[in-house]
Amino acid sequence: MSLIGKEVVDFKVQAYQGNEFKEVTKADILGKWSVFFFYPADFTFVCPTELEDLANKYEDFQKVDCEIYSVSCDTHYVHKAWHDASKTIQKIQYPMLADPTGVLARGFDVMIEEDGVAERGSFIVNPEGKIVAYEVIAGNVGRNADELFRRVQASQFVAEHGDEVCPAKWQPGAETLKPSLDLVGLL
């Protein structure tokens, strides 16, 4: 079953950001674009490479009014401990959401129940709180922040220009398509 168009579940979780703890709720994500970036656990192998990749791209996401929320089933205390112990994780400026009860992991359908951790899932959520794009991949394969950013930009473009669609590898400023019978199967 597809999650496209599914509204984000109501939630209230703790987060670690900017050397402090804070609460993040569903109300906080409404009105702007969001990326929920699930990963299995802190103090692991592939996860810090992905989170650093996102940290290096965070300013670009901010420029297009999109907030990044990394999410694992660890507590906010573990996020802080990882931040304090790792030079890589110290680069992170976006909120690191704590999901020890799995409310978000289950709400986005990425919870691995027998392990108590989340799959590697990336979800683009529009300002109305609905999922417009996502991918879930095996735990042993890292993701690419550049491609995720491109998908955010494409999602924003089609939300603004409902009569146009973005072809493969589309970048802002590139030509888009207007769906018509003339284009069916001819490209």
Side-chain angles (χ1 to χ4, degrees):
M1 177 159 138
S2 175
L3 298 177
I4 298 297
K6 179 183 178 187
E7 190 171 335
V8 172
V9 298
D10 195 29
F11 70 91
K12 178 170 65 171
V13 297
Q14 292 296 310
Y16 178 74
Q17 181 184 25
N19 212 22
E20 63 184 37
F21 297 131
K22 68 181 201 176
E23 188 176 85
V24 176
T25 67
K26 181 179 178 179
D28 295 323
I29 72 162
L30 300 176
K32 70 183 304 185
W33 289 83
S34 303
V35 167
F36 285 79
F37 196 83
F38 289 86
Y39 62 97
D42 294 357
F43 294 100
T44 55
F45 314 105
V46 176
C47 302
T49 67
E50 294 182 307
L51 297 178
E52 179 181 32
D53 191 33
L54 271 178
N56 293 337
K57 197 83 178 160
Y58 186 52
E59 188 175 305
D60 292 335
F61 282 91
Q62 292 289 279
K63 286 178 184 174
V64 298
D65 198 30
C66 181
E67 184 60 87
I68 301 291
Y69 297 99
S70 66
V71 189
S72 77
C73 293
D74 298 293
T75 68
H76 52 301
Y77 300 114
V78 177
H79 290 336
K80 181 183 183 332
W82 195 23
H83 178 272
D84 292 349
S86 169
K87 295 231 181 282
T88 298
I89 301 306
Q90 288 171 10
K91 297 176 184 178
I92 295 174
Q93 296 177 0
Y94 50 80
M96 298 178 75
L97 303 187
D99 190 28
T101 66
V103 66
L104 288 170
R106 286 184 187 92
F108 283 87
D109 201 22
V110 292
M111 181 63 124
I112 305 170
E113 294 293 343
E114 59 273 12
D115 296 333
V117 299
E119 299 273 9
R120 275 186 212 294
S122 308
F123 297 82
I124 300 171
V125 176
N126 70 15
E128 291 78 42
K130 294 184 179 177
I131 298 169
V132 298
Y134 69 98
E135 72 174 342
V136 179
I137 62 173
N140 55 1
V141 177
R143 294 160 284 178
N144 182 322
D146 290 329
E147 173 57 13
L148 183 56
F149 181 64
R150 186 196 72 79
R151 278 188 268 151
V152 166
Q153 291 179 297
S155 297
Q156 290 175 332
F157 182 89
V158 297
E160 187 176 327
H161 304 89
D163 63 337
E164 297 178 52
V165 296
C166 298
K169 298 185 180 182
W170 176 87
Q171 295 289 330
E175 203 171 310
T176 57
L177 304 172
K178 288 197 181 213
S180 71
L181 190 56
D182 297 340
L183 294 178
V184 175
L186 297 178
L187 294 176

